[in-house]
Amino acid sequence: MSSEGFLKEVQAIGEKFLLKLQKLPKAEPVEIISFSVVLLFIVTVLVLTIIACSCCCCSCCGCDGRPDSRHRKSQVRPAAH
């Protein structure tokens, strides 16, 4: 998908979302609840993704860009007799 097509698609979704928000005060309670549930689901997925990515990056890199030496595997060699 080209960047222009992607931007048009995002703009169309944004316009539909704004139209839905404008109609929300006049909507039925069931529609308001269903819209809230969908919105809550989207926000939850985004927050969990951000938390997962930040935890993964912090445990791997130590948040300073260098790999964490504590998680490096070391080879164990048998003791000589």
Side-chain angles (χ1 to χ4, degrees):
M1 178 182 265
S2 69
S3 61
E4 284 185 25
F6 178 72
L7 289 176
K8 287 182 181 178
E9 189 71 27
V10 170
Q11 184 179 5
I13 291 171
E15 288 174 358
K16 288 179 185 177
F17 182 73
L18 286 176
L19 184 63
K20 194 69 149 174
L21 282 177
Q22 289 172 350
K23 292 182 178 180
L24 205 56
K26 302 172 197 167
E28 295 180 18
V30 174
E31 192 173 359
I32 293 172
I33 293 171
S34 63
F35 183 76
S36 300
V37 167
V38 170
L39 195 61
L40 182 66
F41 175 76
I42 292 170
V43 169
T44 303
V45 168
L46 289 175
V47 168
L48 290 176
T49 303
I50 291 169
I51 291 171
C53 290
S54 65
C55 289
C56 179
C57 290
C58 286
S59 68
C60 294
C61 302
C63 291
D64 59 359
R66 293 180 293 175
D68 193 357
S69 61
R70 291 179 291 164
H71 296 292
R72 193 177 302 159
K73 291 183 180 179
S74 61
Q75 293 181 348
V76 178
R77 297 183 183 161
H81 293 295

